[in-house]
């Protein structure tokens, strides 16, 4: 089996319950698709057949993980961007039939090939910055055929690119026009037909619901979660983005992998997440684009040791953001995360939010060899710089996606 030995590296292993697990003057051996050894250069194993990569003290991190995106969709919503600048709110636009519904119309119209073509540059942008795992949600089809079409595109992206794609079914994202005033029947369609069909095609890794006054209420979400549970699928949820209606508590009662957004989550309710080891996924892109002022309960999350992940939320409405590095910077600037928390948020904690922490998210013996070499020495520079891409090499599952070539330091 091919072996690669990285030598003279500064390795942010992320194998530490709170920090970066930083190892200076260290090395890492990859055997096949797996990490075979990580440790100080003094203990470096002999490996005659390995390809040797001298990292010249550069930083190595795990492949980055964007654990919440909607990057398969038709069209754009630049018109709504202008409407919001003129003073209309995200909720008002949604109530007038725009918002998610307008992307639903464009997505239904697009063929699978067209959706794929539109998604490719969005994904490529993330990959260029060292992303090796990305979650992609459905939710702009809102009927069986079109939700399945979106998830097939997500699967095709995984087949075409060297990236792990986790596919999340978000049929309960918004009420489609044909079910106006008939949410219960739509939820029945989601539960009885859409989700089981998508699952039967092997297209569902997790199930998400948008729980909000402009989307679905608690009893409706509960119906979807019960079906997810009966199919053995893990749960995620968009909650407390615009108001506090108790979505995070419901999701964590169902042992959700993550609750996402949570600006309006009450600090007193954070212990409910801690009890269930649910990850809090913060989405600074949506906070920024919607010019939100309500901050998520960061200090309560820290106090209760709730794992915090961050993600781009790449979508055409609330977060047309396709940069994981800018997401890290925004999480620090807008939410006061430390650069270390931001890096944990796109590695080990993002892996947890996808249920992948036993194989991804840190550089430890036995884990998958998803590795990024950066033209940097200091980890905090990843979150600090804006508009610079220091990614110098990417290995995914033991294979070079972007081979590392020594250049500038
Ligand atoms: O994560 N909150 C709901 N869903 C997306 C936005 C979708 C859209 O506006 O198209 C979000 O912000
Ligand atoms: Fe989202």
């Amino acid at each position: 089996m091919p072996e690669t030995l990285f030598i003279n590296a500064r390795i942010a292993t992320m194998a530490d319950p709170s920090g970066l697990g930083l190892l200076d003057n260290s090395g890492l051996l990859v055997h096949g698709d797996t990490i075979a050894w990580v440790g100080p250069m003094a203990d470096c194993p002999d490996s005659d057949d390995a390809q040797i990569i001298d990292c010249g003290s550069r930083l190595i991190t795990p492949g980055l993980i964007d654990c919440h995106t909607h990057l398969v969709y038709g069209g754009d919503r630049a018109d709504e961007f202008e409407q919001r600048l003129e003073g209309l709110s995200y909720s008002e636009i949604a109530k007038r039939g725009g918002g998610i519904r307008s992307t639903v119309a464009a997505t239904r119209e697009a063929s699978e090939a067209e959706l794929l073509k539109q998604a490719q540059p969005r994904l490529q942008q993330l990959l260029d910055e060292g992303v090796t795992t990305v979650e992609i949600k459905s939710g702009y089809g809102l009927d069986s055929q079109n939700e399945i079409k979106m998830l097939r595109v997500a699967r095709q992206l995984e087949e075409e690119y060297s990236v792990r794609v986790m596919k999340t079914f978000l049929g309960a994202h918004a009420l489609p026009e044909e079910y106006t005033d008939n949410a219960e029947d739509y939820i029945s369609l989601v539960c009885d037909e859409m989700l089981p069909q998508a699952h039967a095609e092997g297209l569902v890794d997790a199930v998400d619901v948008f729980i909000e006054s402009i989307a679905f209420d608690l009893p409706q979400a509960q119906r979807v979660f019960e079906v997810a549970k009966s199919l053995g699928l893990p749960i995620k949820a968009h909650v407390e983005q615009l108001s506090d209606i108790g979505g995070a508590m419901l999701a964590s009662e169902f042992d959700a992998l993550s609750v996402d957004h949570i600006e309006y989550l009450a600090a007193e309710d954070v212990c409910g997440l801690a009890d269930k080891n649910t990850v809090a996924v913060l989405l600074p892109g949506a906070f920024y684009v919607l010019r939100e002022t309500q901050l998520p309960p960061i200090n309560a999350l820290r106090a209760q040791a709730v794992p915090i992940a961050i993600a781009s939320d790449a979508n055409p409405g609330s977060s047309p953001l396709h940069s994981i590095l800018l997401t890290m910077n925004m999480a620090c600037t807008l939410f006061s995360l430390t650069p270390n928390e931001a890096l944990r948020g796109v590695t080990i904690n993002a892996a947890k939010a996808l249920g992948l922490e036993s194989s991804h998210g840190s550089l430890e013996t036995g884990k998958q060899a998803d590795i990024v070499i950066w033209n940097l020495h200091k980890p905090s520079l990843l979150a600090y710089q804006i508009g610079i891409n220091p990614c110098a090499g990417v290995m995914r599952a033991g294979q070079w996606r972007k081979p590392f070539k020594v250049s500038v330091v």
Side-chain angles (χ1 to χ4, degrees):
M1 248 196 274
E3 289 200 327
T4 309
L5 180 63
F6 295 83
I7 61 169
N8 301 324
R10 186 152 207 234
I11 306 179
T13 63
M14 313 312 291
D16 175 312
S18 56
L20 302 184
L22 206 56
L23 299 177
D24 279 320
N25 193 23
S26 288
L28 185 153
L29 179 67
V30 174
H31 186 69
D33 62 1
T34 306
I35 297 169
W37 168 82
V38 191
M41 284 309 295
D43 301 339
C44 191
D46 285 334
S47 189
D48 294 341
D49 302 330
Q51 179 194 17
I52 309 277
I53 305 293
D54 188 337
C55 300
S57 305
R58 286 176 184 78
L59 177 70
I60 286 185
T61 68
L64 304 188
I65 299 175
D66 193 346
C67 68
H68 178 141
T69 87
H70 310 245
L71 65 77
V72 172
Y73 58 83
D76 66 72
R77 304 234 294 275
D79 293 352
E80 291 177 16
F81 174 56
E82 293 192 44
Q83 287 167 13
R84 283 199 308 275
L85 292 175
E86 283 161 11
L88 270 187
S89 75
Y90 182 73
S91 302
E92 281 161 347
I93 292 169
K95 282 180 198 143
R96 292 176 182 197
I100 294 171
R101 273 191 185 176
S102 83
T103 300
V104 171
T107 304
R108 285 178 173 180
E109 240 167 67
S111 67
E112 215 168 296
E114 284 161 349
L115 285 180
L116 182 70
K117 202 163 166 218
Q118 291 179 42
Q120 282 165 336
R122 301 173 195 142
L123 176 62
Q124 188 62 54
Q125 197 65 37
L126 292 172
L127 301 193
D128 288 347
E129 292 183 346
V131 167
T132 51
T133 299
V134 64
E135 185 252 21
I136 301 179
K137 299 175 195 294
S138 67
Y140 295 121
L142 308 189
D143 60 29
S144 294
Q145 182 199 340
N146 286 295
E147 286 291 295
I148 285 175
K149 177 174 73 178
M150 289 185 73
L151 292 167
R152 283 187 188 147
V153 173
R155 181 170 63 189
Q156 232 171 308
L157 288 167
E158 179 168 56
E159 286 162 6
E160 279 186 20
Y161 292 80
S162 167
V163 64
R164 172 78 180 262
V165 175
M166 296 298 281
K167 301 172 293 302
T168 298
F169 174 84
L170 178 56
H173 192 196
L175 196 58
E177 211 174 336
E178 62 274 18
Y179 280 86
T180 301
D181 299 325
N182 199 2
E184 292 305 326
D185 282 357
Y186 180 64
I187 292 294
S188 297
L189 181 75
V190 167
C191 293
D192 301 341
E193 188 189 303
M194 291 164 60
L195 174 53
Q197 279 186 11
H199 176 59
E201 252 200 62
L203 289 168
V204 184
D205 298 308
V207 176
D208 194 340
V209 175
F210 185 17
I211 306 175
E212 189 56 68
S213 52
I214 57 166
F216 297 98
D217 64 18
L218 295 176
Q220 290 159 352
Q222 180 156 350
R223 289 178 60 197
V224 180
F225 290 160
E226 268 157 11
V227 175
K229 212 172 161 186
S230 74
L231 296 172
L233 293 168
I235 281 158
K236 305 170 79 65
H238 284 71
V239 295
E240 273 72 75
Q241 180 186 11
L242 308 168
S243 59
D244 183 359
I245 65 167
M249 290 305 94
L250 176 72
S252 62
E253 277 161 28
F254 277 84
D255 299 312
L257 286 175
S258 72
V259 290
D260 302 37
H261 286 290
I262 63 165
E263 282 89 339
Y264 287 83
L265 177 64
E268 322 63 279
D269 288 339
V270 166
C271 51
L273 305 184
D275 291 346
K276 295 289 191 154
N277 211 15
T278 298
V279 177
V281 178
L282 307 183
L283 304 169
F287 179 92
Y288 166 80
V289 168
L290 302 183
R291 293 194 282 182
E292 182 57 71
T293 52
Q294 173 75 33
L295 285 164
I298 309 282
N299 285 332
L301 294 172
R302 285 181 178 135
Q304 301 280 341
V306 172
I308 300 173
I310 57 175
S312 68
D313 195 15
N315 77 69
S318 66
S319 188
L321 166 65
H322 303 86
S323 164
I324 199 73
L325 295 176
L326 182 54
T327 301
M328 292 170 73
N329 175 270
M330 286 177 158
C332 295
T333 304
L334 299 174
F335 296 158
S336 302
L337 257 56
T338 65
N340 283 5
E341 286 173 326
L343 188 52
R344 290 181 64 75
V346 294
T347 54
I348 188 65
N349 289 347
K352 276 189 192 145
L354 297 175
L356 291 176
E357 72 272 27
S358 61
S359 52
H360 293 69
S362 62
L363 299 174
E364 294 177 82
T365 304
K367 283 204 172 183
Q368 180 163 306
D370 289 357
I371 297 163
V372 186
I373 308 182
W374 303 95
N375 266 328
L376 300 171
H377 303 292
K378 253 193 201 174
S380 59
L381 288 171
L382 286 173
Y384 156 75
Q385 293 182 326
I386 303 172
I388 295 259
N389 181 4
C391 178
V394 180
M395 175 173 272
R396 222 270 312 178
Q399 311 245 5
W400 285 108
R401 188 173 82 197
K402 173 183 169 134
F404 171 68
K405 297 192 188 80
V406 180
S407 54
V408 282
V409 177

